[in-house]
Structures are given as structure tokens and as C-alpha cells.
Amino acid sequence: MRKWIAGACLLYVLYGLFFYWYLFKTGDSSVPEALKGTSADPATFMNKKELILTEDYSKIKDFIFFLRIPLEWFLFFILLIAGLSRKMTHWAEQTSRFKVVQIAAYVFVLFLIVTAASLPLDWISYQYSLGYGISTQPTASWIKDQVIDFWVSFPLTAGAVMVFYWLMKRSEKRWWLFAWLLTVPVTLFLFFLQPVVIDPLYNDFYPLKNKKLEYDILKLADQADIPANHVYEVDMSKKTNALNAYVTGIGANKRIVLWDTTLNKLNEPEILFIMAHEMGHYVMKHVYKGLAGYLFLSLAGLYVIAKLYKWIIRRYGNSLHIKGRTDLAALPLLLLLTGVLTFTASPFTNAVSRHQEKAADEYAVELTKNKKAAVAAFQELSKAGLSEANPPFLVKIFKYGHPTIMERIQNVEQNADK
């Protein structure tokens, strides 16, 4: 056990050293010679201080991102190999004779452990965001968001675990398929509820206050044959200086949302371009395609997880203190496998997302006929969020669901010139 723990610790340290070396020493984020002096070159729209801050902040932010990802995997492995998950199961079984209560108790303790272990990195990330002027969120508000995260995630996870273990007992061979069939309506339901139930827990949403701007946006929507009655804004300026807008929800709860920081920092043509981009997602049905893709990947993922889960327990069950597939003590193994597979699939899912975002950019330029506003909007997005225009390769493939700012500006200008 000590060798396994020592090996896991060494592996995590080596992983962290690799990304430190990659991000701070060798990762290439320089501007290609052919683009220097163009509108895609940060030196043309940022001053020297902003350039330095962007480089420093991006490296720190990306380093924390990569450290954060395998932290939970490491923690789950330690809980298994050290027998702590087994002890947690014994404690949970003593809390009640009802299995539902036992699972809820176990998941609650597991969530507390994961939250406590992750909190230092999350706190450091928050402090850096404050220090670099990205975050404006008071500490009390930040803590409130962490608490909300916990109480939103805990019941959803506990409910999923109860269903999964019940299905494992009912069908050892096809539990993963039945689990997936249940995730389809649940995912659609949660996606339907998110704009009106979950999102308002974190921020206040209200119809766009600027009625002239709302009229122009709805007029643009009418040009695109999009049925829309309201555009919403959200008070993100209480938490950040970054800019954003997005489409969320499905059916009657579908919303186009603008951050108030975007309203405060961009002019009307730039805002209309951002809105046209979001309309592009609607016209090209990216929300529904994304949901379909997620459900397909979750089916493949659950199948792979089921096979790996069975094999690992058969071969290493004794070492991990797991009695069988329906043993509650094996839950960290399920979560570890889910996390690893999700991360492994992220280059593919990010590539698909970048393709959709590029298509939405092209649609927005075609709809607004305003390349200048598009370029200016991208430049402001980069400045407000201290985002690198050309991040290192590994950062891009594992983290970026949008094309880089440099790619977006290049693409807009090339398509506008055709």
C-alpha cells in the first residue's frame, strides 16, 4: 500500500513539474511572424502592461487548471488503496438500515473530502483572479458560490449513485445501458430547468434594460427568422470584469443572455455581432447537436467504464479493498474512471466546439456585415479577460472550447474578404 501511495504521489508531482516546465519554460505562445503588426497581434490592441499581465496571468491560470484536473483522481485512488473508502462504507452502513440513507451519507462525506482537498487550489485561483483584476467578487460571495455548488452537486450525484447501484444489482451485464437510458430524460430535464432554477441561484437575471438595444437585437433575430421576445442580461459585474454572452436552455426556457460587463464595455455594433454569433448557434441548432453528441459520448463512455470497472475489480479488488461491483466502497473507482475518460475525450469535444464557434462567427459576420465590429469585439474579449491570443498547443486542445482570439480574428478577416 505504501508503495502504491508513494508511486501515486510521485506521479502527481512529476505531472505538475511537466506542466510547469511546459507552461513557464517551453510552451510557445508567440505571435507568428506573418501576423505581427496585424489586428490579430496583441501588440496592436494591448499596451505593454496588458501584454505582460496577460502572459503572466495566463500561465498561472493554465497551470492551476492542469493541476486541478488529476487532483480528484489522485484523491480517489488514495481513498481506495488506503482502505479509507472501506471505512467510510462501514460508517455509512451504521447510520441506517436503509440503503438510500447509507448512500447519501457516504456521498456526503466523499463530497466533503473532495471539497476540502480542492479548496486550496480553488482559493489560489480566486486570489490570482482578484490580484490581476479579472474577478471583482467579494470573498463572502465567492464562499456562497462554493456552498451552492456543493448543495447543487451533492443531491444530483447521490441520486445518480443510488440509481446506478440499484441497476448494477438488477442487471450486472447491462446496467450501463439502462443507466444511459435514464440519463437521457434527466439530462434534457436539467437542461430545461437550468436557466430558470439553477442559474438564478448564482446571479440575478432580468430582461435587457436598454430597450433601444433590445429592439435592435430582436430586429436582428427577425432577420435570422428566430422567434424571440426577450434578451436577458445578468449582473456578472459583481463577480468579474470578463465579457461573455451565451445561449442556454431548450424549449420554452431557451434564453439568450448578455453579461452586463459586455453591455458596459462594448459599443452597439460589437454587441450586435456578439448577439448574431449566439443566434448563429440557434440557427445551426448547435445546442441540440451538442446535447445529441453528449448523449452519444456518454453511452460510449458508460460502456467503457463498465468494462474497465469490472476488470479492475476482478484483478485489483483486494488491493483496493473492494468486495464487488455493487460495493459502495467502489464508488471512488467509478468516479475516477469517469474523470479520466472525460479528460481523455476533451480534445475531441473541444475540437467539435471550436468548429461550431467558428461557424457561429462566420454566420454573425454574414448577418451583421460588420467585420470591423467583430474584430474589435474579439480584441476587447481578450483584453478584458487577459486571454492569450495564441496559447500553447496543449492548453488549446485540452482547455479551449472556442478558437483562439488570433484564429477568430484571422478567420473573420479572411471570410469577409472573400
Side-chain angles (χ1 to χ4, degrees):
M1 180 187 73
R2 291 178 180 176
K3 289 181 179 179
W4 278 103
I5 293 176
C9 291
L10 178 61
L11 189 63
Y12 185 68
V13 170
L14 290 175
Y15 167 90
L17 289 174
F18 167 77
F19 273 104
Y20 179 85
W21 169 78
Y22 178 76
L23 294 170
F24 289 89
K25 303 297 181 182
T26 63
D28 185 15
S29 58
S30 61
V31 177
E33 284 295 327
L35 294 178
K36 287 185 176 179
T38 68
S39 57
D41 182 358
T44 64
F45 58 86
M46 289 186 184
N47 59 42
K48 289 183 178 180
K49 181 180 178 181
E50 288 172 333
L51 288 170
I52 294 172
L53 288 175
T54 296
E55 183 179 0
D56 291 345
Y57 178 67
S58 295
K59 288 178 179 178
I60 294 168
K61 179 180 62 176
D62 294 337
F63 184 56
I64 293 174
F65 168 81
F66 282 108
L67 282 183
R68 182 71 167 76
I69 288 171
L71 179 62
E72 289 185 6
W73 312 346
F74 171 76
L75 182 61
F76 293 146
F77 178 75
I78 297 300
L79 290 175
L80 290 166
I81 200 69
L84 297 176
S85 183
R86 174 88 270 140
K87 292 179 181 178
M88 289 163 56
T89 302
H90 287 156
W91 169 81
E93 290 172 347
Q94 293 171 3
T95 60
S96 173
R97 63 188 180 89
F98 297 107
K99 193 67 177 178
V100 170
V101 177
Q102 293 173 11
I103 292 175
Y106 180 97
V107 173
F108 182 79
V109 173
L110 183 62
F111 260 61
L112 285 178
I113 293 172
V114 171
T115 301
S118 305
L119 197 59
L121 272 181
D122 293 340
W123 175 256
I124 291 170
S125 179
Y126 164 64
Q127 288 298 314
Y128 269 112
S129 293
L130 279 177
Y132 279 84
I134 301 301
S135 176
T136 59
Q137 187 174 19
T139 301
S141 174
W142 182 84
I143 293 173
K144 177 186 174 183
D145 281 355
Q146 307 309 303
V147 173
I148 293 173
D149 283 344
F150 183 94
W151 287 109
V152 168
S153 300
F154 162 64
L156 292 175
T157 304
V161 171
M162 292 172 191
V163 172
F164 277 30
Y165 274 92
W166 177 75
L167 289 172
M168 283 183 197
K169 288 184 177 180
R170 300 278 295 182
S171 177
E172 288 190 7
K173 291 185 178 180
R174 289 185 169 78
W175 67 267
W176 58 272
L177 178 59
F178 298 128
W180 178 80
L181 290 172
L182 283 175
T183 64
V184 174
V186 171
T187 299
L188 293 174
F189 182 65
L190 289 175
F191 207 78
F192 180 79
L193 283 185
Q194 182 172 337
V196 295
V197 176
I198 298 176
D199 289 346
L201 295 174
Y202 297 88
N203 296 95
D204 294 327
F205 292 77
Y206 32 80
L208 192 60
K209 295 176 182 177
N210 186 334
K211 295 305 175 184
K212 166 66 167 58
L213 178 59
E214 183 180 45
Y215 172 81
D216 291 339
I217 292 173
L218 294 177
K219 184 178 178 182
L220 199 64
D222 185 58
Q223 284 181 243
D225 294 323
I226 297 174
N229 297 317
H230 294 290
V231 178
Y232 290 85
E233 62 178 287
V234 55
D235 60 341
M236 287 301 298
S237 57
K238 294 179 179 179
K239 297 182 178 181
T240 183
N241 284 316
L243 313 181
N244 198 14
Y246 59 91
V247 176
T248 186
I250 56 176
N253 284 352
K254 179 179 77 274
R255 286 185 175 182
I256 296 177
V257 179
L258 271 165
W259 287 12
D260 62 346
T261 51
T262 304
L263 293 167
N264 295 336
K265 294 183 180 180
L266 299 186
N267 60 35
E268 182 169 321
E270 293 162 359
I271 292 171
L272 289 177
F273 169 79
I274 296 291
M275 286 290 91
H277 170 97
E278 299 305 329
M279 292 172 192
H281 285 305
Y282 177 86
V283 169
M284 291 178 276
K285 296 180 170 56
H286 287 165
V287 172
Y288 296 100
K289 289 177 181 178
L291 273 173
Y294 165 77
L295 292 172
F296 173 77
L297 282 178
S298 64
L299 174 61
L302 280 170
Y303 173 78
V304 174
I305 288 170
K307 296 298 182 183
L308 289 173
Y309 184 65
K310 179 181 178 181
W311 178 78
I312 291 173
I313 290 177
R314 185 174 65 244
R315 182 158 184 176
Y316 300 105
N318 289 335
S319 298
L320 298 176
H321 308 280
I322 298 173
K323 294 179 179 179
R325 279 180 286 178
T326 59
D327 185 1
L328 186 57
L331 178 58
L333 176 59
L334 267 178
L335 296 175
L336 191 157
L337 291 173
T338 302
V340 171
L341 285 177
T342 301
F343 180 67
T344 303
S346 61
F348 170 74
T349 56
N350 285 340
V352 172
S353 176
R354 289 195 298 271
H355 174 76
Q356 292 183 337
E357 295 296 336
K358 178 182 177 181
D361 284 345
E362 293 171 356
Y363 178 88
V365 172
E366 185 178 341
L367 183 63
T368 61
K369 311 296 183 187
N370 196 337
K371 179 190 78 170
K372 183 178 178 181
V375 171
F378 291 144
Q379 291 174 341
E380 286 299 321
L381 283 169
S382 183
K383 289 174 63 176
L386 295 182
S387 301
E388 282 185 306
N390 187 33
F393 176 72
L394 291 181
V395 175
K396 176 183 172 180
I397 65 170
F398 282 108
K399 190 178 177 185
Y400 275 50
H402 288 69
T404 66
I405 292 296
M406 187 173 292
E407 290 171 336
R408 298 182 84 172
I409 292 175
Q410 278 185 277
N411 186 57
V412 161
E413 294 192 325
Q414 288 170 359
N415 279 280
D417 294 336
K418 289 180 181 179

